[in-house]
Amino acid sequence: MPSLEDELFPSTPGKFKIDRNHPMNRQFHRCFASTSTMFLWALFLIALTASYLSFQSFVDSGSRYFSASWGGIQWEKQVRVSAQPHRANGFSVLVTGAAGFVGSHVSLALKKRGDGVVGLDNFNSYYDPSLKKARKSLLSNHGIFVVDGDINDVRLLDKLFDVVVFTHVMHLAAQAGVRYAMENPNSYVHSNIAGLVTLLEACKSANPQPAVVWASSSSVYGLNEKVPFSESDRTDQPASLYAATKKAGEEITHTYNHIYGLSITGLRFFTVYGPWGRPDMAYFSFTRNILQGKPITVFRGKNRVDLARDFTYIDDIVKGCLGSLDTSGKSTGSGGKKTGPAPYRIFNLGNTSPVTVPTLVSILERHLKVKAKKNVVEMPGNGDVPFTHANISSARRELGYKPTTDLQTGLKKFVRWYLSYYGYNHGKPVN
């Protein structure tokens, strides 16, 4: 490579001759020597800075590793023990969102029938984390270990799949709630899209690959007015960002099924309710406010039409989840490469009996023995839809899915749990 001097003074024969003893040349050489020294010092400082930054990055990575709430011999032992099935041909299932409403119920049902279960949950503060901690305690009492971590943590997922050969993944972790998306849209992208991709990457790279069952939502039907909603209906008109992220999830999972051979089943849940439920759901907040003597807001659709929901009791949803796992079939990829076609399915899981919100309130009043103070207002444009109604014929045929709990019975069970959990006696708080 030509030197700086060669660049300034080309050594072309016959053109000109350099007199190195000329005063101007001696002055130039002193300047050049000084410049070279500065250049070397600059290189030294750059190298020193790069070394420091690399060391700092190493220290930070190590600090994060050692401060993480997971890892170590004892942790790995807990994961392995929890994942060990206790029935012939039992599954080893990773349940994301295990400390959530549906996740905790599914985890308990799997463990009860002899499957191995490892939970994963980040215990975020979308609603009171103490309820999630209580669910975790319940799971722990039944021998289910729940890892405190995020599905976007690639190192954590790699470690879990290294420690356990999961046969199935039940992906229930998500940022829920239609209205909250207007306040914090990024949380939906982080959990429902980025988190899903991170998990699918771990699944497709696993060898053998697990079968994946995940929670989509009835919200994907959006502005569709055809009822009841069928899996073949259009889902390209979402009414909320939450619905849009779930629709995106269906497209993303189809891609991973097509390219990598992952067996994937998507479940469109219809308004799940019951004990240990989510406090942001209407039936839950209605119960709380009625008992506290506070007014409840009842939304009404256009032309004074009552909103209606296909309320589905948690035990029925659990049956659909387990049926999906049992019939999922095998993934066909190996080392991240597809070797053949794998199942890709989507099912509605609902009760197929829509009930209006005023009817829901009247049932709660009966069970609570307290009259509600109602504020009836027109539904704002916040992403809610006026009605949901599930066609469950596919789930009946393929999964043996058969909901058996009506809203009257289900709410009675919920109210009994609520009064017990929050310390009420005859409708009044216990001191």
Side-chain angles (χ1 to χ4, degrees), residues 50-299:
S51 298
Y52 171 77
L53 291 175
S54 297
F55 176 74
Q56 189 64 40
S57 176
F58 172 78
V59 170
D60 290 344
S61 298
S63 176
R64 284 195 300 270
Y65 179 83
F66 289 111
S67 64
S69 60
W70 57 270
I73 296 175
Q74 184 59 31
W75 180 87
E76 290 185 18
K77 181 180 179 181
Q78 288 178 292
V79 170
R80 287 194 182 95
V81 170
S82 190
Q84 184 65 40
H86 294 281
R87 67 180 176 98
N89 301 315
F91 301 155
S92 291
V93 188
L94 173 64
V95 180
T96 70
F101 173 33
V102 178
S104 57
H105 281 271
V106 170
S107 296
L108 287 169
L110 287 169
K111 197 70 174 183
K112 183 177 180 180
R113 74 176 195 176
D115 292 319
V117 181
V118 175
L120 175 63
D121 206 292
N122 69 355
F123 297 91
N124 68 26
S125 57
Y126 168 60
Y127 60 81
D128 186 3
S130 67
L131 182 57
K132 301 176 184 180
K133 295 289 185 182
R135 296 191 193 115
K136 179 183 178 180
S137 179
L138 178 66
L139 297 181
S140 179
N141 291 339
H142 287 81
I144 300 171
F145 182 56
V146 180
V147 177
D148 188 344
D150 195 283
I151 54 172
N152 282 287
D153 189 336
V154 177
R155 287 176 57 249
L156 171 56
L157 290 180
D158 287 346
K159 187 65 176 178
L160 284 170
F161 279 88
D162 182 55
V163 173
V164 175
V165 178
F166 291 107
T167 60
H168 296 76
V169 170
M170 173 61 72
H171 178 45
L172 300 171
Q175 176 58 63
V178 168
R179 299 168 195 168
Y180 184 61
M182 299 180 71
E183 300 176 34
N184 189 2
N186 289 333
S187 66
Y188 289 79
V189 177
H190 176 80
S191 296
N192 301 0
I193 297 180
L196 175 61
V197 171
T198 303
L199 179 65
L200 291 174
E201 279 291 301
C203 292
K204 65 98 169 174
S205 299
N207 198 6
Q209 294 174 334
V212 179
V213 177
W214 74 288
S216 182
S217 169
S218 62
S219 296
V220 299
Y221 291 108
L223 303 178
N224 179 25
E225 295 184 353
K226 172 185 168 293
V227 291
F229 299 154
S230 174
E231 292 89 346
S232 60
D233 291 343
R234 65 184 298 181
T235 54
D236 59 352
Q237 296 178 301
S240 67
L241 178 63
Y242 168 70
T245 61
K246 287 299 185 179
K247 173 59 177 176
E250 293 187 353
E251 304 300 330
I252 290 167
T253 53
H254 184 275
T255 302
Y256 274 80
N257 166 264
H258 174 68
I259 297 176
Y260 302 111
L262 282 174
S263 168
I264 296 181
T265 303
L267 302 176
R268 294 172 177 170
F269 295 158
F270 281 72
T271 316
V272 190
Y273 73 99
W276 296 97
R278 279 181 18 221
D280 63 312
M281 297 288 284
Y283 74 95
F284 201 116
S285 62
F286 285 173
T287 299
R288 179 178 60 243
N289 287 358
I290 290 172
L291 287 171
Q292 293 176 358
K294 297 178 180 178
I296 63 173
T297 300
V298 178
F299 291 125

